[in-house]
Amino acid sequence: MKTVAEYSLSESYIGLQFHSSSSPPTITDLSTPIPTTGTVIVKPLYSIIVQYANEIFTNGNPRGYKYPLPIVPGGSCIARIAAVPPDATSLKPGQLAFIELTVRAREDPNIKVLRSFHEGANEMTKKLMWGWRDGSWATMMNAPLESVHALDEDKLVGELGYKLEELGSLSQLVVPYGGLADVGLKPGETVLIAPATGSFSSAAVHVSLSMGARVIAMGRNETALADLKKLAEPGRVETVKISGDVEEDINALGKFGPLDLYFDISPRPASKSSHIKAGILSLRAGGRVSLMGGIPGDIDLPYWHVSYKGLTIKGTFMNTTQQAKELIKLVERGVLKIGSRAGMEVVGKFKLEDWDEALDTAAAKGGPGKSVYFIPNGE
């Protein structure tokens, strides 16, 4: 087996390591992994900090996410490939790449975890997480070969003029693409996105528009809804405020005709929100529902309406490897616009040692169209 030196890698790298969600992390020297079969070594450039990271890795983990300790968090990122394994056929050192958050078991892709965030609920997912627990809040990381997607830097940066930091939005856009693709969103269809004013739900608006759909964006934040309406020409994005009353919501949605599809990526506390039942009851016969949210409990389902109307309800957890490639192609072809030209903004970039300010900034300023990143290897 080759040594790290033979791969032109340093013997160690720096990671932001957490030993507890109730104590501060430490900047730690870690041994550099070898790019064994199926494993790529990358250097993270822009590693996303989700808005609720401070509720997972600090403050006692009030969200209750399960992960092994010690851990270096950080899932998806924009990175440079540092070394490739002997079975890599197209990836090369120096390439720009997007690294996915989701890690899938190779013998069964239905077994999957959110790398460095959540190890799942059974022994198989826990075992999978253990092998990939240290993530992108570091100067180096290993990644499954199939989760590393080379980016056409000449196209994205050279021709389309994107900054590298703007490519970080792929981390948010790829998630709703998985659900929308699973239910077969078609050009010309009308999709309800409710709620639509969170980081991932607002990303669904961008993705839906790139897929040729008309969007009905629903939420409580009227300022965020107004910003979404500006994303496209008149008539492509309509907005509805969630009222808290099912009948009122149905009446408001009815102004836009029967809906083809309802995309839901509701947060944990939303199980009793009026928008879920209203969205389902507003669908046309044969309509589809995509459920991607994080509600841990049950929801009120209009059983007779679903059966009488012949509705299809499809659950999706994250996205497939192929869907990630498709999403990247939409960006590289200029169909899906990202960055400042799409109203997206980077509101913070931090070194690993500034972790406290970084997590606070993500919580305070992150949100729809606004991203915060660690830049472990500088800019």
Side-chain angles (χ1 to χ4, degrees), residues 8-244:
S8 299
L9 300 172
S10 59
E11 292 289 336
S12 64
Y13 68 98
I14 301 298
L16 183 64
Q17 191 175 69
F18 288 75
H19 289 263
S20 165
S21 61
S22 300
S23 60
T26 56
I27 301 295
T28 306
D29 282 321
L30 300 165
S31 297
T32 299
I34 297 290
T36 53
T37 300
T39 301
V40 181
I41 309 301
V42 303
K43 293 182 178 181
L45 301 178
Y46 294 94
S47 181
I48 194 164
I49 308 171
V50 294
Q51 190 175 12
Y52 45 87
N54 65 337
E55 298 178 7
I56 302 174
F57 302 110
T58 61
N59 299 310
N61 184 16
R63 285 187 171 240
Y65 278 32
K66 304 296 182 183
Y67 47 81
L69 292 169
I71 191 170
V72 175
S76 58
C77 65
I78 300 298
R80 288 277 178 204
I81 296 176
V84 298
D87 60 331
T89 58
S90 59
L91 296 180
K92 297 178 178 60
Q95 281 182 306
L96 189 68
F98 168 63
I99 317 302
E100 286 189 71
L101 167 64
T102 309
V103 174
R104 308 163 188 86
R106 285 169 178 155
E107 69 269 47
D108 184 356
N110 292 311
I111 299 172
K112 44 199 171 185
V113 296
L114 300 181
R115 178 178 187 166
S116 307
F117 276 90
H118 205 308
E119 65 184 2
N122 59 56
E123 291 305 313
M124 292 182 291
T125 57
K126 291 178 181 178
K127 185 177 181 180
L128 178 63
M129 178 71 151
W130 183 257
W132 303 100
R133 70 185 187 278
D134 288 338
S136 62
W137 293 2
T139 57
M140 206 176 299
M141 69 182 284
N142 61 355
L145 182 60
E146 58 272 23
S147 296
V148 179
H149 303 277
L151 300 175
D152 189 339
E153 189 169 0
D154 289 340
K155 182 71 175 179
L156 292 167
V157 179
E159 294 182 29
L160 294 176
Y162 287 121
K163 299 176 182 178
L164 293 185
E165 67 181 44
E166 293 181 303
L167 303 180
S169 61
L170 291 172
S171 300
Q172 293 154 320
L173 294 165
V174 71
V175 176
Y177 181 79
L180 293 166
D182 273 0
V183 290
L185 178 62
K186 298 179 179 65
E189 289 192 313
T190 297
V191 54
L192 167 66
I193 299 174
T197 57
S199 296
F200 292 98
S201 56
S202 64
V205 176
H206 290 269
V207 173
S208 297
L209 289 171
S210 75
M211 297 171 76
R214 179 178 72 147
V215 174
I216 312 301
M218 198 174 190
R220 292 184 174 84
N221 186 329
E222 293 182 275
T223 300
L225 289 175
D227 289 339
L228 291 174
K229 193 163 186 175
K230 298 173 185 176
L231 292 178
E233 57 271 20
R236 288 291 309 281
V237 179
E238 304 290 355
T239 60
V240 173
K241 185 177 181 181
I242 296 175
S243 69

